[in-house]
Amino acid sequence: MIKDFEILFIASFLIFFSCQNRKSNNKAEKSSSGIELKSEDSSTKDSGIVISTTTNKDGSSLKCTFNNSLGTCMLELNGERIELKQERMASGIKYSNEHFVYTNWHGETKLYKDGKLIFSDSK
């Protein structure tokens, strides 16, 4: 009787934890900054790649592909592709190159080109 109970307990334990580890495709999450993060494939999330799209009040969309393993970000705004390198921040995120600066702090996304604000999505 005790052996049957042990087998039942182990089988229940394995089934419970194996079901929780399944990953679904096209899973959407909210980051701590309030941006919706979409992982198109479980392999992208495992590789450190996070894809998010932000739309501002004017209807412009900014697609961001973050490669956390390499510390890079690829932005797409109005058909223009922009590659940026990550900078260290105490709070929020910041990516930049010689012409562009992208920041996100407390859900407020900003993109500057040569010091001029070209995209803002304040919540």
Side-chain angles (χ1 to χ4, degrees):
M1 180 74 173
I2 292 176
K3 189 170 187 157
D4 292 335
F5 179 72
E6 288 175 359
I7 292 171
L8 181 63
F9 176 75
I10 291 171
S12 300
F13 181 80
L14 291 174
I15 291 170
F16 177 75
F17 284 105
S18 66
C19 291
Q20 286 193 356
N21 290 331
R22 288 188 182 160
K23 297 185 190 306
S24 64
N25 291 339
N26 296 325
K27 185 176 180 182
E29 305 172 356
K30 286 276 188 177
S31 72
S32 60
S33 62
I35 293 179
E36 185 175 289
L37 305 176
K38 295 180 183 177
S39 179
E40 294 176 351
D41 185 335
S42 62
S43 64
T44 60
K45 191 170 184 179
D46 293 340
S47 66
I49 295 175
V50 177
I51 301 168
S52 73
T53 302
T54 303
T55 305
N56 66 8
K57 295 174 188 173
D58 300 330
S60 296
S61 292
L62 177 66
K63 181 179 178 184
C64 307
T65 304
F66 301 96
N67 186 328
N68 294 323
S69 301
L70 299 176
T72 61
C73 176
M74 178 66 72
L75 303 177
E76 290 182 38
L77 178 65
N78 301 327
E80 184 177 8
R81 298 185 92 188
I82 307 158
E83 189 170 337
L84 307 170
K85 288 279 203 182
Q86 185 176 19
E87 294 186 29
R88 294 262 180 215
M89 296 282 293
S91 178
I93 59 174
K94 182 178 183 178
Y95 290 83
S96 65
N97 65 19
E98 61 223 23
H99 296 287
F100 292 91
V101 175
Y102 169 86
T103 61
N104 185 289
W105 185 71
H106 289 276
E108 189 172 328
T109 301
K110 293 185 179 182
L111 179 63
Y112 297 89
K113 180 177 183 179
D114 297 322
K116 182 181 175 191
L117 182 66
I118 62 171
F119 183 89
S120 178
D121 179 28
S122 301
K123 307 265 180 197

Tab-separated table of all heavy atoms in Angstrom, residues 1-25:
chain	number	residue	atom	x	y	z
A	1	MET	N	0.813	-1.188	0.000
A	1	MET	CA	0.000	0.000	0.000
A	1	MET	C	0.864	1.262	0.000
A	1	MET	O	0.587	2.196	-0.736
A	1	MET	CB	-0.937	-0.040	1.221
A	1	MET	CG	-1.824	1.145	1.331
A	1	MET	SD	-3.119	1.031	0.110
A	1	MET	CE	-4.100	2.363	0.581
A	2	ILE	N	1.920	1.287	0.816
A	2	ILE	CA	2.803	2.455	0.865
A	2	ILE	C	3.536	2.602	-0.465
A	2	ILE	O	3.703	3.709	-0.964
A	2	ILE	CB	3.790	2.324	2.047
A	2	ILE	CG1	3.018	2.425	3.366
A	2	ILE	CG2	4.858	3.410	1.979
A	2	ILE	CD1	3.853	2.225	4.600
A	3	LYS	N	3.936	1.499	-1.069
A	3	LYS	CA	4.636	1.553	-2.346
A	3	LYS	C	3.722	2.126	-3.434
A	3	LYS	O	4.158	2.926	-4.269
A	3	LYS	CB	5.129	0.165	-2.733
A	3	LYS	CG	6.031	0.177	-3.920
A	3	LYS	CD	6.680	-1.163	-4.109
A	3	LYS	CE	7.706	-1.021	-5.208
A	3	LYS	NZ	8.717	-1.993	-5.173
A	4	ASP	N	2.455	1.743	-3.439
A	4	ASP	CA	1.500	2.302	-4.402
A	4	ASP	C	1.343	3.804	-4.201
A	4	ASP	O	1.269	4.570	-5.163
A	4	ASP	CB	0.131	1.616	-4.259
A	4	ASP	CG	0.172	0.161	-4.699
A	4	ASP	OD1	1.046	-0.188	-5.525
A	4	ASP	OD2	-0.671	-0.616	-4.211
A	5	PHE	N	1.295	4.234	-2.952
A	5	PHE	CA	1.182	5.661	-2.655
A	5	PHE	C	2.421	6.414	-3.141
A	5	PHE	O	2.306	7.505	-3.701
A	5	PHE	CB	0.986	5.869	-1.147
A	5	PHE	CG	0.886	7.317	-0.759
A	5	PHE	CD1	-0.237	8.051	-1.074
A	5	PHE	CD2	1.940	7.942	-0.106
A	5	PHE	CE1	-0.331	9.387	-0.735
A	5	PHE	CE2	1.855	9.273	0.237
A	5	PHE	CZ	0.713	9.996	-0.068
A	6	GLU	N	3.606	5.859	-2.945
A	6	GLU	CA	4.846	6.495	-3.405
A	6	GLU	C	4.856	6.634	-4.927
A	6	GLU	O	5.232	7.675	-5.456
A	6	GLU	CB	6.062	5.690	-2.941
A	6	GLU	CG	6.336	5.797	-1.463
A	6	GLU	CD	7.489	4.893	-1.016
A	6	GLU	OE1	8.068	4.171	-1.863
A	6	GLU	OE2	7.799	4.921	0.180
A	7	ILE	N	4.446	5.602	-5.625
A	7	ILE	CA	4.408	5.651	-7.096
A	7	ILE	C	3.399	6.700	-7.556
A	7	ILE	O	3.685	7.483	-8.464
A	7	ILE	CB	4.077	4.253	-7.672
A	7	ILE	CG1	5.239	3.295	-7.415
A	7	ILE	CG2	3.772	4.340	-9.156
A	7	ILE	CD1	4.946	1.857	-7.751
A	8	LEU	N	2.243	6.738	-6.942
A	8	LEU	CA	1.233	7.732	-7.289
A	8	LEU	C	1.736	9.153	-7.020
A	8	LEU	O	1.559	10.059	-7.838
A	8	LEU	CB	-0.055	7.467	-6.507
A	8	LEU	CG	-1.220	8.412	-6.787
A	8	LEU	CD1	-1.663	8.290	-8.242
A	8	LEU	CD2	-2.373	8.106	-5.852
A	9	PHE	N	2.414	9.350	-5.893
A	9	PHE	CA	2.959	10.655	-5.545
A	9	PHE	C	4.019	11.097	-6.553
A	9	PHE	O	4.000	12.238	-7.039
A	9	PHE	CB	3.553	10.618	-4.130
A	9	PHE	CG	4.221	11.907	-3.739
A	9	PHE	CD1	3.453	13.013	-3.400
A	9	PHE	CD2	5.600	12.023	-3.728
A	9	PHE	CE1	4.059	14.204	-3.052
A	9	PHE	CE2	6.208	13.204	-3.386
A	9	PHE	CZ	5.437	14.302	-3.034
A	10	ILE	N	4.931	10.222	-6.906
A	10	ILE	CA	5.996	10.544	-7.860
A	10	ILE	C	5.408	10.839	-9.240
A	10	ILE	O	5.803	11.799	-9.900
A	10	ILE	CB	7.037	9.409	-7.922
A	10	ILE	CG1	7.812	9.362	-6.600
A	10	ILE	CG2	7.991	9.592	-9.090
A	10	ILE	CD1	8.708	8.156	-6.453
A	11	ALA	N	4.438	10.042	-9.680
A	11	ALA	CA	3.810	10.277	-10.981
A	11	ALA	C	3.095	11.628	-11.003
A	11	ALA	O	3.205	12.390	-11.971
A	11	ALA	CB	2.835	9.144	-11.307
A	12	SER	N	2.373	11.946	-9.922
A	12	SER	CA	1.681	13.241	-9.845
A	12	SER	C	2.676	14.394	-9.856
A	12	SER	O	2.476	15.408	-10.528
A	12	SER	CB	0.844	13.322	-8.571
A	12	SER	OG	-0.113	12.312	-8.557
A	13	PHE	N	3.760	14.249	-9.143
A	13	PHE	CA	4.804	15.263	-9.086
A	13	PHE	C	5.399	15.512	-10.469
A	13	PHE	O	5.539	16.655	-10.900
A	13	PHE	CB	5.892	14.801	-8.099
A	13	PHE	CG	7.017	15.759	-7.927
A	13	PHE	CD1	6.887	16.861	-7.096
A	13	PHE	CD2	8.219	15.565	-8.594
A	13	PHE	CE1	7.938	17.741	-6.931
A	13	PHE	CE2	9.264	16.451	-8.434
A	13	PHE	CZ	9.119	17.543	-7.603
A	14	LEU	N	5.730	14.465	-11.192
A	14	LEU	CA	6.308	14.591	-12.524
A	14	LEU	C	5.330	15.226	-13.512
A	14	LEU	O	5.702	16.088	-14.309
A	14	LEU	CB	6.773	13.235	-13.044
A	14	LEU	CG	7.982	12.629	-12.330
A	14	LEU	CD1	8.241	11.215	-12.836
A	14	LEU	CD2	9.206	13.497	-12.514
A	15	ILE	N	4.085	14.821	-13.469
A	15	ILE	CA	3.081	15.390	-14.380
A	15	ILE	C	2.873	16.866	-14.087
A	15	ILE	O	2.839	17.692	-14.993
A	15	ILE	CB	1.754	14.606	-14.283
A	15	ILE	CG1	1.925	13.207	-14.880
A	15	ILE	CG2	0.625	15.355	-14.964
A	15	ILE	CD1	0.764	12.283	-14.620
A	16	PHE	N	2.783	17.220	-12.824
A	16	PHE	CA	2.549	18.610	-12.443
A	16	PHE	C	3.670	19.516	-12.929
A	16	PHE	O	3.444	20.543	-13.555
A	16	PHE	CB	2.400	18.724	-10.919
A	16	PHE	CG	2.234	20.133	-10.441
A	16	PHE	CD1	1.031	20.798	-10.611
A	16	PHE	CD2	3.282	20.803	-9.835
A	16	PHE	CE1	0.872	22.101	-10.185
A	16	PHE	CE2	3.134	22.114	-9.404
A	16	PHE	CZ	1.924	22.753	-9.579
A	17	PHE	N	4.925	19.144	-12.682
A	17	PHE	CA	6.036	20.004	-13.050
A	17	PHE	C	6.380	19.947	-14.533
A	17	PHE	O	6.880	20.919	-15.085
A	17	PHE	CB	7.270	19.701	-12.193
A	17	PHE	CG	7.131	20.271	-10.812
A	17	PHE	CD1	6.859	19.460	-9.734
A	17	PHE	CD2	7.238	21.637	-10.607
A	17	PHE	CE1	6.715	19.994	-8.470
A	17	PHE	CE2	7.085	22.178	-9.344
A	17	PHE	CZ	6.825	21.359	-8.271
A	18	SER	N	6.092	18.862	-15.215
A	18	SER	CA	6.373	18.818	-16.656
A	18	SER	C	5.386	19.690	-17.417
A	18	SER	O	5.729	20.291	-18.429
A	18	SER	CB	6.327	17.388	-17.182
A	18	SER	OG	5.019	16.862	-17.092
A	19	CYS	N	4.158	19.834	-16.942
A	19	CYS	CA	3.170	20.687	-17.597
A	19	CYS	C	3.492	22.161	-17.417
A	19	CYS	O	3.181	22.983	-18.265
A	19	CYS	CB	1.772	20.408	-17.061
A	19	CYS	SG	1.151	18.788	-17.535
A	20	GLN	N	4.126	22.538	-16.336
A	20	GLN	CA	4.452	23.935	-16.085
A	20	GLN	C	5.629	24.409	-16.917
A	20	GLN	O	5.796	25.604	-17.114
A	20	GLN	CB	4.763	24.148	-14.616
A	20	GLN	CG	3.529	24.112	-13.768
A	20	GLN	CD	3.798	24.621	-12.378
A	20	GLN	OE1	4.911	24.941	-12.019
A	20	GLN	NE2	2.748	24.693	-11.582
A	21	ASN	N	6.457	23.535	-17.432
A	21	ASN	CA	7.635	23.931	-18.195
A	21	ASN	C	7.372	24.066	-19.680
A	21	ASN	O	8.273	24.394	-20.435
A	21	ASN	CB	8.773	22.939	-17.965
A	21	ASN	CG	9.336	23.049	-16.567
A	21	ASN	OD1	9.292	24.113	-15.982
A	21	ASN	ND2	9.845	21.960	-16.042
A	22	ARG	N	6.161	23.816	-20.138
A	22	ARG	CA	5.851	23.961	-21.562
A	22	ARG	C	5.862	25.421	-21.941
A	22	ARG	O	5.382	26.275	-21.207
A	22	ARG	CB	4.487	23.362	-21.882
A	22	ARG	CG	4.490	21.882	-21.842
A	22	ARG	CD	3.182	21.354	-22.358
A	22	ARG	NE	3.192	19.922	-22.266
A	22	ARG	CZ	2.118	19.187	-22.266
A	22	ARG	NH1	0.927	19.746	-22.368
A	22	ARG	NH2	2.204	17.877	-22.180
A	23	LYS	N	6.367	25.710	-23.142
A	23	LYS	CA	6.412	27.070	-23.646
A	23	LYS	C	5.470	27.172	-24.823
A	23	LYS	O	5.445	26.315	-25.676
A	23	LYS	CB	7.818	27.446	-24.068
A	23	LYS	CG	8.814	27.438	-22.927
A	23	LYS	CD	10.127	27.942	-23.414
A	23	LYS	CE	11.252	27.771	-22.488
A	23	LYS	NZ	11.325	28.155	-21.258
A	24	SER	N	4.720	28.263	-24.891
A	24	SER	CA	3.820	28.452	-26.022
A	24	SER	C	4.394	29.505	-26.954
A	24	SER	O	5.104	30.407	-26.534
A	24	SER	CB	2.437	28.877	-25.532
A	24	SER	OG	2.533	30.126	-24.898
A	25	ASN	N	4.060	29.402	-28.236
A	25	ASN	CA	4.498	30.383	-29.220
A	25	ASN	C	3.644	31.632	-29.118
A	25	ASN	O	2.507	31.613	-28.679
A	25	ASN	CB	4.400	29.802	-30.632
A	25	ASN	CG	5.417	28.720	-30.851
A	25	ASN	OD1	6.424	28.649	-30.148
A	25	ASN	ND2	5.171	27.868	-31.822
